[in-house]
Amino acid sequence: MLWTANQFIRKFSTSTAYYQNKLKLALIGQSLFGQEVYTNLRKQGHKVVGVFTVPDKDGKADPLAVAAEKDGTPVFKFPRWRVKGKPIPEVVEAYKAVGAELNVLPFCSQFIPMNVIDHPAHGSIIYHPSILPRHRGASAINWTLIEGDKKAGFSIFWADDGLDTGPILLQRECPVEPNDTVDSLYNRFLFPEGIRAMVEAVQLIADGKAPRIPQSEEGASYEGIQKRSNSKVNLAQPAEAIHNWIRGHDKVPGAWVVIDGQPVTLYGSSLLGGAVPSGQPLEIEGAAQPGLITNSGLVLYGSDGKTLLVKNLQFEDGKMIPASKYFSSGETASVELTEEEKKMAEEIRGIWKGILSNVPKIEDTTDFFKSGAASMDVVRLVEEIKQKCAGVELQNEDVYMATTFQDFIQMFVRRLRGEDQEEELVIDYATKDVNNMTVKMPHQCFINGKFEDAENGKTYDTISPTDGSVICKVSYASVADVDRAVAAAKEAFETGPWGRMNPRDRGRLLYRLADLMEEHQEELATIEAIDSGAVYTLALKTHVGMSIQTFRYFAGWCDKIQGTTIPINQARPNHNLTFTKKEPLGVCAIVIPWNYPLMMLAWKSAACLAAGNTLVLKPAQVTPLTALKFAELTVKAGIPKGVINIVPGSGGLVGQRMSDHPDIRKLGFTGSTPIGKQIMKSCAVSNLKKVSLELGGKSPLIIFSDCDMDKAVRMGMSSVFFNKGENCIAAGRLFVEEGIHDEYISRVVEEIKKMKIGDPLDRSTDHGPQNHRAHLEKLLEYCEIGKKEGATLVYGGRQVDRPGFFMEPTVFTDVEDHMFIAKEESFGPVMVVSKFKDGDIDGVLARANDTEFGLASGVFTRDINKAMYVSERLEAGTVFVNTYNKTDVASPFGGFKQSGFGKDLGEEALHEYLRTKAVTVEY
């Protein structure tokens, strides 16, 4: 019978926990960490026979005691275990009476006698937050950061009579990020991984597999306990040492300096790597030179002349402010609460009362921290309010910045109303007087609703292709910036208002965004012209105009995304209903090219947002400015923070991190085929994220002798020279029927001579500069190869003799199929022409399809039967008949073969950013 029961369990159990050996445990310690270790050990089937923790403080029980008492586990709250170094007999006897086989000390602030440590059959194990033997002592996490260690971690060791000297049972480690704090390191790794490791260690002991590895004394260190009294910042050090000291005390006990005779605690330090922003000087005691209050925070100078940035300041009364607002009055007019808001305030008062149980009554003047609240209470307050008031955006920092109940409610109501969102947006514009206006251009990373410098402070120059001058410096995002942007997008999707928003309300925000883009269309077109070289009139109509249309089109789709009901075989005698749901994917990454900076952003991000996703977007390194201006408009439109994040920088760094990031579920890319292949590989290896790729092209345009010659000349030129040839669907090769070939070329050259090459802001300009110098040089080399291979250069092929990156429109004829310029895309104003024999339809089709690309194609003929025959056989995602470049927001766009897969625009684009879930119900 026993065998049968075991077989039954083996067949149906989803866990092996009940086959493992189990122990009777005594948990000695405290805190939320101790509570989680306790809970997880019980889940694994171990029996906790006693919990030994600290006495209640101000009427509040420790979290470990709360959990144990709720479960009915015996709880002992001894204020001490020893008196004058000797064990207290009645305490030791009470401990021994529980009959523990192992002592587990997850976090313990008391001195435990050795006759307790050694009493159980298996002894005692202790969690220590450093990689022993380094950083023995009570402030191990602090010293890991203060010393600038590159690795952090924890050790679980067997207790002995030394100070953190016992044999090692197991260790785990992680890299230290440049701006990690005690809080971030603890929350990211030491807390969650420590809990898992404690449970693993106990099971190893239960199974008789736990090692005892003696600690080496080589590299051993012991540092003293860090307290408020010894955490003052020494400013006569290099910037990195100051940064490490500040983050090594963030949040506890807090590193401080003296400003205006008063101690001020510093939080949120990061090293600056670029130019120091302008600001207002601030005298700080002990500093060789004054700090600077800037829009980004407080800049401090190290003894080496390098700088760091501090985000937040906290005063002696507990009030915390953004460092950037140090010189502000800090006075904000009170808001009058509606009746509904008053009810919510009373509910929040109840939450405060539940946390501050030692306070008889929560008055408006009650201070959260002066009433005994600790950091774990901050987390509880924020999470309880989020649970009760869905949609409100609260962070732990908000509690530190509004410590009294009255201030907290004022902050909460403003946050609920969204009144503080625009006020919080600080933009350090780069300005330029151009095109009869002053354009204001954001130039920093846009992460979680704020413009801010790259974490390492690096910048780069964005260059005007018109004259080669520097427009402004732009933040050069790092891997850490991508990670922050992804984290913001993930939080916005999972817990922010965007994920819970009614689809119709989401559409309303996208309509509002389109309206704002229209209001700013002249400024956007001007930025596009100076940053990418697009002719202003084209930028206004196409780059910006189609972007606006795209957002309006997809705004209309938000509340029309539907699943289907599916008839299936019934599970008689019951009935079944099966239906599908279309769901957003989560965090999406978008990487866009430099030829249509704003329009490519719109083509991908509008569908992504309409589907309900959040996104992190990398604009092309050489054309970041319209994307950052767009980010500003999203805030004005009311898009919640974290939904849209823009990180300018290099593809090799930023784009690669996006491809590798485990929290990104989809990546949309427009660019070259080789880079697309690398992205696809990285996306597969990382987490098999969904991918859509719009890649290179060599689009064929076939012109038959029965065409409308005027139209074929006009459209043929547009197919090549539109947007300076920097056009993904540009006709990379024209096939002209022999009977009209010479006339066609003659007329094209005649029209080219009429084209005005010049300043893209001049309304009469037809042809602007190429996007950047490297691309111009590549085009000139392309033309040289064409000439060397024997193609006939009919016109152009040279750089225009003027400042900037201008190239003459170019025409090659006599291009044979084997030539380089017949096979490879120029992505510039180069017309590559081959003739074909009169009437040889199948022959020219074979030549047109003899390419690994398949993005677009075209045919000009008056014969509708011929047009349909050719269009059916051309291997391309788009076929134009008697027109070219005619794209529309409602028509899907994408390629075949090595031109990629997936669609932009139209309803099909939505499916790139959705997943289908099937649900079957039995009734």
Side-chain angles (χ1 to χ4, degrees), residues 702 704 836-846 866 869-870:
I702 303 172
F704 288 100
F836 67 95
K837 292 181 180 179
D838 291 340
D840 187 11
I841 299 175
D842 290 329
V844 74
L845 274 170
K866 187 190 297 182
Y869 180 87
V870 170

Side-chain angles (χ1 to χ4, degrees), residues 803-825:
F805 312 138
F806 293 84
M807 181 178 176
E808 296 174 336
T810 299
V811 179
F812 277 100
T813 60
D814 302 318
V815 178
E816 298 178 14
D817 294 353
H818 68 273
M819 292 181 178
F820 176 84
I821 63 173
K823 293 180 176 295
E824 297 299 324
E825 181 181 28

Side-chain angles (χ1 to χ4, degrees), residues 569-585:
N569 289 339
Q570 305 294 327
R572 297 175 180 174
N574 297 316
H575 299 278
N576 296 103
L577 169 66
T578 295
F579 61 91
T580 60
K581 295 175 63 181
K582 296 289 186 179
E583 298 179 342
L585 301 171

Side-chain angles (χ1 to χ4, degrees), residues 178-189:
N179 295 319
D180 261 332
T181 64
V182 174
D183 267 16
S184 68
L185 192 54
Y186 184 72
N187 292 330
R188 185 182 82 246
F189 184 80

